[in-house]
Amino acid sequence: MTEPLLTTSEAATYLGTSPRTLEDWRLRGGGPMYRKVGRRLVRYRAADLEAFVENGARVNTGGGKPV
């Protein structure tokens, strides 16, 4: 069974950010992976949001990643 796809608003709630921030990330890059459904619909997988959060893990403000 495939996991349900989340809307931008649902993904923003999941990440604790605003839908506008996700829109900015899509425009500029650097945000979580997303899917285009048709020409206009943007959707997110929860697994991709989790991967985005895990990829952002740091051990200090200098950007050191955990081992």
Side-chain angles (χ1 to χ4, degrees):
M1 177 179 199
T2 60
E3 64 183 297
L5 297 174
L6 305 174
T7 65
T8 298
S9 292
E10 291 167 334
T13 298
Y14 186 95
L15 293 174
T17 190
S18 71
R20 183 69 187 145
T21 296
L22 284 176
E23 292 165 4
D24 286 343
W25 286 343
R26 285 198 309 266
L27 178 65
R28 299 180 196 328
M33 294 274 287
Y34 63 92
R35 308 292 191 278
K36 289 286 293 231
V37 180
R39 296 181 84 186
R40 299 180 63 115
L41 293 178
V42 173
R43 295 293 184 261
Y44 295 86
R45 287 181 29 207
D48 292 332
L49 298 176
E50 271 304 313
F52 175 72
V53 169
E54 287 304 313
N55 191 39
R58 299 290 187 266
V59 294
N60 59 47
T61 58
K65 290 191 175 192
V67 284

